[in-house]
Amino acid sequence: MISSRRMHVRRMGTVAMATAAVMTSLTATAVCASGASAAPATSPTATSPTATAEPKPKVPAPAPVPVPVESAFPNAKSAPDGSHIVSVSRVSPRRFIIELHSAAMNRTVGVQIIRPADTSVPAPSLYLLNGAEDGRSYNGNATWKTEGDEVKTWETATDVVDFMADKHVNVVTMMDGAYTYFSDWLRDDPKLGRNKWQTLLTKELPPIIDSALQTTGRNAIAGLSMSATSALQIAESAPGLYRSVGSFSGCSDIQDPVCAAAVAGVTSLGGANLLNMWGAPGSPTWIAHDPTTADNLVKLRGSNVVITTGNGKPGIHDTLSETDNDASQLWRQKTIGGNPESLVADSTHRVQAKFAAAKVPATFMFRGNGTHSWAYWQDDLHDAWPSFAASLGIPTTGQ
């Protein structure tokens, strides 16, 4: 069941608008060309409740306080390539922002951490990736990108801080990587710089987190929208590193014309040159990064994979009460957040068929009505958590 604990729906960003425009212009011809398939009759379906709790008032995020690295994480070690923690700031007794030097990218990137209540017992780690426009922007100096006075991440856009409060897991959220698909790019980009996020999330960050937090070494990863594709790609690039993979509202079969258009829309919105990432759509490198090819899907065998989508129609979070009586926000969710999610649903049906053909187990949750919005991704994490906890070897709650 979806948890009854909810936060109000956060504002959709301009990436959904830009991507929707690109995708809408290609929908009629692209969907026909791609031949979107229907879901098999046996596909599991996630259902949604009809009632929700009152929205919580927005609470300003506390200002991080710098603390010495050796004081916060005395056991922290460098990664084999020399990547290391540069500085630490405490957000609260259990929340920290770590700035770490990535040797692969030769720059500093930010990571937010939520510790479990009991740090005397080793805990596994859940890595969360933000959407295309979320977190911090990059202009060469990793400056903050804000919505009002906050940086939009899983911590500020969902109830993840409260939801994980009674769970024995370290939550690790990427603060940087906007518009990059969290991938290793072919070439440096004039706007987004050097991007080696796959290397960061498979070879640099995990050993640093394991040493600093004294973890169990077991990991899970989840992403939404843009990073729903990234989560699959990253897990496939290092089979076994992530025991669970969550892909929420992703257009992941990137050889399909509609999903290729979505990729182009995201990188264009970030001001980047698409060719610097995986080359031209349909090129060997592009195909190699398609997480839904048979060759790549088999790398997920043994992992718990959860893939979700709505259908683009207004759902339980697309109401005035859920948007704090903000009529303009509700309009954006219904009109701009509807079309992308309907195309994601088409993609997810195709991806489900590919998993079946490759004989790779996965759980597909077709939640029914719902738009491309943060509140639904919060629900997705709630729904996926029991299977994630089982794969990580911990109870759903507590120790």
Side-chain angles (χ1 to χ4, degrees), residues 41-56:
T42 57
S43 70
T45 301
T47 58
S48 300
T50 57
T52 62
E54 288 298 315
K56 295 180 181 180

Side-chain angles (χ1 to χ4, degrees), residues 132-392:
E133 66 171 349
D134 306 321
R136 307 192 298 191
S137 64
Y138 177 70
N139 69 353
N141 296 302
T143 57
W144 289 103
K145 175 184 179 182
T146 63
E147 179 183 290
D149 294 324
E150 69 182 9
V151 177
K152 188 165 65 172
T153 67
W154 277 92
E155 287 77 9
T156 60
T158 75
D159 69 349
V160 70
V161 175
D162 291 338
F163 181 67
M164 292 296 175
D166 64 347
K167 296 167 180 62
H168 192 62
V169 66
N170 299 292
V171 180
V172 182
T173 303
M174 294 303 306
M175 301 290 287
D176 299 308
Y179 311 112
T180 67
Y181 272 84
F182 292 101
S183 185
D184 282 7
W185 287 36
L186 285 173
R187 292 175 289 274
D188 294 354
D189 186 79
K191 178 67 174 180
L192 298 183
R194 180 167 297 170
N195 295 293
K196 299 293 181 183
W197 300 96
Q198 181 176 293
T199 296
L200 176 80
L201 284 157
T202 58
K203 297 179 180 179
E204 295 182 332
L205 184 56
I208 292 174
I209 292 296
D210 288 346
S211 65
L213 308 186
Q214 297 291 281
T215 75
T216 63
R218 297 178 178 180
N219 307 299
I221 190 169
L224 59 95
S225 191
M226 173 196 79
S227 66
T229 299
S230 310
L232 294 172
Q233 293 170 330
I234 290 166
E236 290 170 347
S237 72
L241 178 60
Y242 293 101
R243 298 189 174 204
S244 277
V245 185
S247 179
F248 307 149
S249 293
C251 201
S252 297
D253 56 334
I254 61 172
Q255 292 184 74
D256 177 84
V258 171
C259 291
V263 175
V266 167
T267 54
S268 175
L269 189 62
N273 184 338
L274 175 67
L275 299 181
N276 288 332
M277 186 166 63
W278 307 322
S283 67
T285 304
W286 186 285
I287 294 172
H289 281 86
D290 182 346
T292 69
T293 65
D295 287 344
N296 284 331
L297 286 177
V298 296
K299 300 172 185 175
L300 293 174
R301 282 197 183 128
S303 296
N304 169 56
V305 181
V306 179
I307 298 177
T308 71
T309 182
N311 61 17
K313 297 178 181 179
I316 59 172
H317 297 301
D318 304 303
T319 65
L320 276 175
S321 62
E322 283 281 302
T323 58
D324 292 341
N325 293 312
D326 186 337
S328 63
Q329 169 62 14
L330 179 58
W331 178 86
R332 282 191 291 271
Q333 285 180 205
K334 287 183 175 181
T335 57
I336 301 169
N339 188 53
E341 193 70 4
S342 69
L343 299 175
V344 164
D346 291 340
S347 170
T348 304
H349 288 315
R350 294 191 298 269
V351 170
Q352 184 181 42
K354 292 184 177 184
F355 268 85
K359 298 182 180 179
V360 176
T363 298
F364 285 82
M365 295 183 179
F366 296 93
R367 75 171 88 88
N369 291 354
T371 58
H372 205 69
S373 307
W374 270 101
Y376 295 103
W377 302 324
Q378 172 178 296
D379 290 346
D380 291 340
L381 182 61
H382 288 199
D383 288 346
W385 176 248
S387 67
F388 274 41
S391 74
L392 295 172

